[in-house]
Amino acid sequence: QVLLAESGGGSVQTGGSLTLTCEYSGFTWNRNCVGWFRQRPGKEREGVASIQTDVTSTAYADSVKGRFTISHDKAANIVTLKMNSLKPEDTAMYYCAAGPHQFCNDKLYTYEFHSWGQGTQVTVSS
């Protein structure tokens, strides 16, 4: 059973930074994709960034390119999302999710990911 747990959310002002952490366990295969998604109020859940767990291959949505950085600590089973230059429109519940490695690209679809964390809230005030 794959388990994921997010942490690191909080409240910041525009231009600030936050780092989200996703700790995972239960992978039986070393080729996986871990993605970060977010759900803004009244909006559908959307993919933000993804990383493959066996190689250093990352992808980002256009809305966060150049501001967010995803990384993976293999030894600790942690995927981190570093968010800089935050904007009010980044306010959302952020989720990490696990899926097959072939779904790691800049267009992430929720139905391709089989395991989800509980989410962590990010609020950016103007």
Side-chain angles (χ1 to χ4, degrees):
Q1 181 185 8
V2 176
L3 299 176
L4 304 105
E6 306 92 338
S7 61
S11 298
V12 295
Q13 292 188 326
T14 298
S17 299
L18 280 174
T19 298
L20 305 183
T21 298
C22 174
E23 186 171 359
Y24 63 83
S25 64
F27 285 161
T28 57
W29 177 240
N30 66 348
R31 299 188 71 188
N32 301 280
C33 179
V34 175
W36 281 98
F37 292 77
R38 67 185 181 188
Q39 190 160 17
R40 292 179 277 190
K43 303 288 187 180
E44 292 188 354
R45 197 170 295 188
E46 61 179 354
V48 172
S50 65
I51 190 165
Q52 293 190 43
T53 58
D54 58 329
V55 295
T56 306
S57 176
T58 61
Y60 299 91
D62 287 343
S63 58
V64 305
K65 276 181 183 175
R67 300 189 298 123
F68 290 12
T69 303
I70 190 170
S71 60
H72 178 218
D73 183 339
K74 290 184 181 181
N77 286 358
I78 289 174
V79 172
T80 297
L81 186 69
K82 174 68 173 174
M83 306 185 295
N84 294 324
S85 302
L86 283 163
K87 306 174 183 179
E89 52 264 42
D90 294 317
T91 294
M93 185 71 80
Y94 283 73
Y95 301 87
C96 66
H101 69 94
Q102 61 265 34
F103 296 135
C104 256
N105 51 57
D106 57 354
K107 298 290 186 185
L108 303 178
Y109 299 96
T110 56
Y111 61 82
E112 293 173 337
F113 289 76
H114 51 71
S115 301
W116 293 80
Q118 79 286 352
T120 186
Q121 177 69 37
V122 171
T123 302
V124 185
S125 59
S126 56

